[in-house]
Amino acid sequence: MPLRLFHSSGDLMADRRFEFARDLQLKGDLPAAADLVEQAIELAPNFTSAWFTLGEIRSQLGERDNAIAAFRKSRECDPSDQHGAHLHLIRLGDEQLSEMPKAYVQALFDQYAPRFEHVLINDLGYRAPSLIFKAVLAARVAAKKPAFFKRAIDLGCGTGLAAAAFAKQVDHFTGIDLSSGMIKQARATNRYAELEVADMIEGLRGKGDASANLVVAADAFVYLSDLVPVLGEARRVLASGGVLAFTLETHDGSGVVLGAGLRYAHAAEYVRGAIVRAGLKLLTLESGSPRIENNEPVRGLVVVAEKT
């Protein structure tokens, strides 16, 4: 995944102690790392990166209350929460499940953008676009409808891997991504007629009613807890008979959970209900692993729905 987010404290000595602490954390000497981070914070009390790292270390040490206090302080120092302290507070049971900070997602993928494709394809066996492509083709064949689409929207488009998968099936592709770094990479591929930096829901809201025939989201909805708003906007934007296809991570329980990888996992029954509430017709809901993580296939779902 991306290089670790770091915001300088503005104090050279504090920054140096923080870096030493990070080395100790990575080597597993957590008590010594915590001590050095606290020394850095004494020098720079509003050192966001240090507070966040202290939260991580305290959590690793099993010190829940101290971890919560550090993550809260990290977010207090940076209300936009680029480090994603909010997600750790959810994982620690201190806050209710809710949406990710946009600044966190943006910072995450801006850092990731230059090596995104290489890591996904070569290290993680990424196959979400191909899973979506095969599922859409199968659904269209079953319905005896052509698998060609005049206008398509790629939500969370990244560098353009979904557009590459559908290149021969789409006349006009629009890519939407919150990360300007990802959009820069996507622009260089010439796979899109249009590209815009926007949140997925905001991007769809800027599109006219019935203006698209296909909407795809390859591993993008894992950054949303509540799917109904984005599904509803996708339905509005789709023309009659239009198709929405996406991948998700899933789990055996009910509803939505935030996994250890800080992505949301949606239960199959939750997805069925969200599709119904959005006014779409479910065509496909099947198991499919989008990638490898920690040498294990990530449990996932491949979903195809239609606007009737």
Side-chain angles (χ1 to χ4, degrees):
M1 282 298 287
L3 297 171
R4 184 180 181 81
L5 182 64
F6 171 72
H7 290 310
S8 171
S9 67
D11 183 307
L12 182 59
M13 185 65 71
D15 285 358
R16 284 179 175 174
R17 291 192 182 183
F18 172 79
E19 289 303 324
F20 289 144
R22 277 288 294 143
D23 288 342
L24 290 171
Q25 182 189 16
L26 293 173
K27 291 173 181 175
D29 191 350
L30 300 179
D35 182 60
L36 269 177
V37 172
E38 287 179 336
Q39 290 179 34
I41 289 169
E42 286 179 7
L43 293 169
N46 295 317
F47 194 171
T48 307
S49 295
W51 280 113
F52 180 80
T53 298
L54 183 61
E56 287 186 317
I57 294 169
R58 294 302 183 197
S59 183
Q60 289 174 293
L61 287 168
E63 300 175 7
R64 178 179 178 274
D65 290 347
N66 289 333
I68 288 170
F71 284 129
R72 285 179 178 174
K73 185 64 178 179
S74 171
R75 190 172 55 184
E76 180 184 317
C77 293
D78 173 24
S80 72
D81 197 13
Q82 287 188 313
H83 287 77
H86 173 62
L87 301 178
H88 290 269
L89 290 170
I90 292 173
R91 290 278 300 167
L92 289 166
D94 185 62
E95 296 190 358
Q96 295 295 312
L97 188 79
S98 54
E99 297 302 334
M100 293 189 184
K102 290 182 182 179
Y104 162 75
V105 178
Q106 191 171 36
L108 181 73
F109 286 100
D110 278 348
Q111 291 178 95
Y112 202 4
R115 58 198 189 99
F116 180 79
E117 283 197 25
H118 177 82
V119 171
L120 279 185
I121 295 171
N122 296 301
D123 299 342
L124 302 179
Y126 183 63
R127 51 196 294 264
S130 65
L131 289 174
I132 292 173
F133 176 74
K134 291 174 183 176
V136 169
L137 259 59
R140 298 297 275 188
V141 168
K144 297 182 179 179
K145 294 180 179 180
F148 296 96
F149 305 93
K150 185 175 181 181
R151 300 183 72 87
I153 299 173
D154 184 2
L155 298 175
C157 66
T159 58
L161 294 174
F166 281 90
K168 295 181 180 179
Q169 267 63 44
V170 172
D171 288 337
H172 182 285
F173 238 123
T174 296
I176 298 171
D177 202 288
L178 187 58
S179 165
S180 59
M182 287 294 192
I183 291 294
K184 180 180 178 181
Q185 297 291 322
R187 183 168 288 114
T189 68
N190 293 315
R191 294 169 184 160
Y192 295 92
E194 299 177 50
L195 285 163
E196 70 178 274
V197 178
D199 165 84
M200 289 184 282
I201 296 174
E202 292 172 352
L204 285 173
R205 284 175 179 159
K207 303 294 180 285
D209 294 357
S211 60
N213 310 103
L214 172 69
V215 175
V216 298
D219 250 16
F221 290 173
V222 296
Y223 297 97
L224 299 174
S225 62
D226 183 1
L227 296 182
V228 175
V230 73
L231 297 182
E233 281 301 315
R235 182 189 181 281
R236 181 189 62 78
V237 167
L238 284 170
S240 179
V243 173
L244 167 66
F246 55 94
T247 55
L248 293 167
E249 293 186 18
T250 193
H251 65 107
D252 288 328
S254 60
V256 185
V257 300
L258 181 64
L262 302 184
R263 295 179 298 273
Y264 298 108
H266 301 78
E269 285 309 305
Y270 169 87
V271 178
R272 292 181 191 276
I275 292 286
V276 170
R277 290 197 297 278
L280 292 160
K281 178 184 177 182
L282 181 62
L283 301 180
T284 304
L285 194 157
E286 59 190 19
S287 297
S289 175
R291 67 183 179 282
I292 303 296
E293 192 168 276
N294 298 322
N295 297 316
E296 294 287 339
V298 171
R299 294 186 57 203
L301 298 172
V302 184
V303 184
V304 181
E306 183 180 55
K307 179 177 180 178
T308 57

